[in-house]
Amino acid sequence: MSFSSDSMSNLMKACVLRSTAPIEQNPLDLADVPIPQPTGNQVLVRVSACGVCRTDLHVIEGELSRQILPIIPGHQIIGEIEKIGDQVTNLEVGRRVGVPWLHQTCGRCEYCRAGKENLCENALFTGWTVNGGYAEYVSAPGDFVYPIPEIFSDLEAAPLLCAGIIGFRSLRLSGITGRSPGRRLGLFGFGAAGHVAIQVARYWGADVYAFTRDSRHQQLAGELGAVWVGGSTDLPPVKLDSIIIFAPAGELVITALKVLNKGGTLALGGIHMSPIPSIDYQLLYDERVVRSVANNTRQDGLDFLQVAAEIPIKTQRQIFDLVETNTALNALKHDAVRGAAVIKV
Ligand SMILES: [Zn+2]
Ligand SMILES: [Zn+2]
């Protein structure tokens, strides 16, 4: 591991977004910024790896409704605790943890009280509303970081923290649960989230149909055991019981409804999607359900990491250095990543 900044100084290297712009303009600026100081319930994590997520692209390109600037993106962070605030009692210096997208919730709003903290009115999100992990250090509340199963290396674990957890929640909301033998699942888009979700779905006994335009992604889906692989408008031989769309293209909702069985559920796994064209009611009729997936609860994360270690999930990774973060995000935008991109810090 190499750090160009002096560990005795109060500065760290970080990829800073100062104004939103298309990723082709390489808007992340590698700069020296102050190392955050953990107070109260926070821990300071020395970052070793940070997974790249499509949501980072939406943040950087200004596609989300709120955006705080400047910001350090990145929300699939693995690292070691280097300092703790004076109110942290459950964690100690030296512990390996994961810092996820769900940075903090309020615990008081009606959603938090109802066990739906993923919908918290006052939630903070890593790498979107508070600084994230494309940096040498990040701070996070101790109650919101995850212990990482021993079986995974830092680089293996990073893509599990959003692609994995959100994919897991998407599976559950699409009707694929712990026991789903023979249930037919369609995945539209086969990037980081898709290549993890297929492993969980197959572990639970589901048959997976992968829809993706990119030939490398098609090949990976086949290798991971999809029973059928096709382009996004190709017709599978059977109707599907559950479908998840990971790609941010609203027109896929229509495409997916055309192959969704009666009573089936279509879950939309992304935080942003282009407009959905008008839907002919006959496509929705017969009790088909279309629903979005918003964030995750801490319990989703704990449940997923347990299942991930049981399987165990194997992530395919393309590794980039911190200085190459713009390059990694450009590759993601153009479907040029096989599996998940991970920044090694
Ligand atoms: Zn809340
Ligand atoms: Zn994400």
Side-chain angles (χ1 to χ4, degrees):
M1 207 175 295
S2 65
F3 290 96
S4 41
S5 57
D6 180 350
S7 61
M8 294 302 286
S9 79
N10 294 322
L11 296 179
M12 64 173 183
K13 293 280 181 211
C15 290
V16 181
L17 179 72
R18 300 184 200 285
S19 57
T20 59
I23 194 64
E24 290 82 357
Q25 295 175 19
N26 300 319
L28 292 177
D29 178 22
L30 188 66
D32 291 308
V33 302
I35 296 173
Q37 292 305 312
T39 56
N41 65 350
Q42 290 179 323
V43 297
L44 178 70
V45 175
R46 183 168 181 153
V47 179
S48 62
C50 186
V52 178
C53 175
R54 185 167 288 279
T55 298
D56 302 328
L57 278 177
H58 299 316
V59 167
I60 291 165
E61 299 195 328
E63 288 172 315
L64 305 182
S65 56
R66 56 205 255 242
Q67 185 60 61
I68 291 164
L69 292 169
I71 193 85
I72 302 168
H75 58 268
Q76 306 189 85
I77 306 162
I78 305 290
E80 204 170 86
I81 295 179
E82 191 160 298
K83 271 189 200 172
I84 59 174
D86 56 9
Q87 290 163 27
V88 175
T89 55
N90 58 333
L91 294 166
E92 67 288 339
V93 169
R95 174 85 71 92
R96 182 171 76 145
V97 293
V99 181
W101 169 247
L102 186 73
H103 192 85
Q104 187 165 26
T105 57
C106 74
R108 296 183 308 273
C109 72
E110 62 171 301
Y111 303 101
C112 282
R113 284 188 280 116
K116 299 175 181 172
E117 66 178 348
N118 60 305
L119 303 178
C120 174
E121 294 278 16
N122 308 297
L124 299 176
F125 296 99
T126 310
W128 181 27
T129 64
V130 292
N131 282 332
Y134 295 144
E136 290 172 343
Y137 292 90
V138 67
S139 71
D143 290 340
F144 285 81
V145 301
Y146 294 113
I148 301 299
E150 289 282 324
I151 192 167
F152 300 117
S153 71
D154 293 358
L155 292 170
E156 283 169 336
L160 302 178
L161 283 172
C162 180
I165 295 173
I166 299 290
F168 185 76
R169 186 175 174 85
S170 301
L171 281 171
R172 282 176 158 176
L173 294 191
S174 78
I176 303 291
T177 57
R179 226 170 275 136
S180 302
R183 199 170 164 94
R184 294 186 291 257
L185 167 71
L187 297 176
F188 280 73
F190 204 82
H195 100 291
V196 175
I198 189 175
Q199 296 178 56
V200 178
R202 291 198 63 227
Y203 182 66
W204 286 343
D207 292 336
V208 178
Y209 296 72
F211 300 75
T212 174
R213 64 190 171 190
D214 183 82
S215 61
R216 284 161 298 194
H217 292 184
Q218 289 184 351
Q219 192 193 348
L220 180 57
E223 288 169 17
L224 291 173
V227 298
W228 178 91
V229 178
S232 55
T233 55
D234 290 342
L235 289 178
V238 288
K239 295 260 180 162
L240 308 176
D241 306 308
S242 299
I243 299 179
I244 304 169
I245 299 181
F246 289 119
E251 65 271 16
L252 289 178
V253 171
I254 307 297
T255 311
L257 279 172
K258 288 178 181 166
V259 297
L260 184 65
N261 216 348
K262 293 180 184 182
T265 297
L266 167 57
L268 312 179
I271 191 172
H272 171 80
M273 188 174 242
S274 59
I276 299 170
S278 69
I279 299 172
D280 181 342
Y281 185 58
Q282 285 306 312
L283 283 180
L284 192 59
Y285 189 63
D286 287 321
E287 304 196 340
R288 293 176 181 87
V289 174
V290 179
R291 67 177 304 170
S292 66
V293 179
N295 315 311
N296 62 277
T297 64
R298 275 173 283 179
Q299 195 60 47
D300 289 326
L302 293 169
D303 293 349
F304 168 67
L305 288 170
Q306 190 184 331
V307 173
E310 240 170 70
I311 295 177
I313 295 278
K314 294 204 174 10
T315 53
Q316 305 251 345
R317 299 166 309 278
Q318 206 166 318
I319 310 299
F320 297 83
D321 288 328
L322 188 59
V323 65
E324 300 171 310
T325 305
N326 282 308
T327 309
L329 284 153
N330 273 287
L332 175 66
K333 184 171 181 179
H334 297 104
D335 290 337
V337 176
R338 184 182 152 93
V342 179
I343 307 299
K344 184 174 186 292
V345 182

